[in-house]
């Protein structure tokens, strides 16, 4: 498990995030900045859970109450936790964020956990590398089956897709959520 590995060798987490930061510097658009803009538009009273937060840019940027979760602590904003089991009570946040953080084979458990901590009609923000989602319609339909409604899809560039969902009642289980697949990240020299 990644969490155990990073606990034993925290330098690996640092190496990963340095490499990630180098990549971010080359991007025309950083999806976390777009999510920050979205949260800003909703107001400072919105409580946010940032799953797989990395360097906790959302918490470092906004005045909102932000719970930043990741597998290792790189600054004072980060709470060490697996995204499948975060230390928050049920229905305590207004916005749950996964920005390039649906990593691991248990990513469906991450989304279930976000649903657990979201208040009624809360917002789930997902930004992911386009190449990881082989069928965006199937991805959206699967997440909706768990109990969300897609509000907005942003596919304005070739690198990332953003989908904003609202928490609703779960739909009839037709196996679409369980069938969801994400591809491994493929890094290309640009």
């Amino acid at each position: 498990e990644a969490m155990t590995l990073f606990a034993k060798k925290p330098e690996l987490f640092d190496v990963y995030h340095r490499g990630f930061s180098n990549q971010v510097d080359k991007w025309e658009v950083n999806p976390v900045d777009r999510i920050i803009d979205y949260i800003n538009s909703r107001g400072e009273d919105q409580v946010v859970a940032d799953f797989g937060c990395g360097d906790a840019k959302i918490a470092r940027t906004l005045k909102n109450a932000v719970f930043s979760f990741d597998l290792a602590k790189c600054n004072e904003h980060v709470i060490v936790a697996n995204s499948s089991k975060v230390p928050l009570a049920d229905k305590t946040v207004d916005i749950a964020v996964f920005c390039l953080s649906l990593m691991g084979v248990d990513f469906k458990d991450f989304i279930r956990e976000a649903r657990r901590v979201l208040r009624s009609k809360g917002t789930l923000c997902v930004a992911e590398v386009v190449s990881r989602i082989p069928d965006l319609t199937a991805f959206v339909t699967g997440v909706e089956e768990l109990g969300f409604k897609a509000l907005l899809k942003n596919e304005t560039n070739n690198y990332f897709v953003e989908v904003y969902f609202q928490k609703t009642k779960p739909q009839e289980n037709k196996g679409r959520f369980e069938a969801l697949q994400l591809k491994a990240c493929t890094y290309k020299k640009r």
Side-chain angles (χ1 to χ4, degrees):
E1 179 174 298
M3 192 166 186
T4 304
L5 179 64
F6 289 143
K8 288 180 182 176
K9 295 185 175 189
E11 67 275 8
L12 293 178
F13 192 77
D14 294 336
V15 168
Y16 170 79
H17 277 283
R18 273 196 311 275
F20 182 79
S21 292
N22 289 337
Q23 285 287 100
V24 170
D25 291 341
K26 298 173 186 168
W27 296 344
E28 291 178 27
V29 170
N30 185 346
V32 76
D33 293 331
R34 293 177 52 83
I35 290 172
I36 288 168
D37 290 344
Y38 172 80
I39 296 168
N40 260 330
S41 76
R42 297 278 307 271
E44 291 179 6
D45 63 330
Q46 299 290 288
V47 178
V48 179
D50 185 3
F51 292 81
C53 67
D55 65 0
K57 184 172 184 179
I58 293 173
R60 291 184 297 110
T61 304
L62 296 174
K63 293 179 181 176
N64 301 59
V66 179
F67 297 95
S68 303
F69 302 107
D70 214 321
L71 298 176
K73 188 176 189 84
C74 66
N75 63 45
E76 69 277 4
H77 298 286
V78 179
I79 301 164
V80 176
N82 185 307
S83 290
S84 65
K85 188 173 170 71
V86 299
L88 289 176
D90 294 357
K91 301 177 183 174
T92 54
V93 303
D94 301 293
I95 300 172
V97 175
F98 290 97
C99 186
L100 309 178
S101 58
L102 289 176
M103 305 291 185
V105 295
D106 55 348
F107 77 91
K108 292 176 216 158
D109 293 334
F110 301 172
I111 297 171
R112 283 187 191 93
E113 183 70 348
R115 188 176 192 292
R116 180 187 71 78
V117 302
L118 275 170
R119 292 184 176 121
S120 178
K121 297 186 179 179
T123 302
L124 172 66
C125 306
V126 177
E128 198 49 77
V129 177
V130 168
S131 63
R132 294 203 62 221
I133 302 176
D135 182 341
L136 183 59
T137 300
F139 178 81
V140 169
T141 302
V143 173
E144 286 181 330
E145 186 176 275
L146 183 64
F148 290 97
K149 178 184 177 188
L151 300 173
L152 171 68
K153 288 186 264 184
N154 181 353
E155 303 173 76
T156 57
N157 66 63
N158 295 328
Y159 304 113
F160 307 107
V161 62
E162 299 162 46
V163 186
Y164 295 81
F165 298 90
Q166 183 177 61
K167 182 179 176 181
T168 62
K169 292 184 179 181
Q171 297 178 7
E172 177 185 348
N173 184 347
K174 295 181 180 176
R176 292 183 186 124
F177 181 73
E178 292 306 323
L180 286 182
Q181 298 288 319
L182 294 177
K183 292 184 176 183
C185 272
T186 305
Y187 294 99
K188 301 174 186 174
K189 277 195 163 183
R190 304 206 189 271

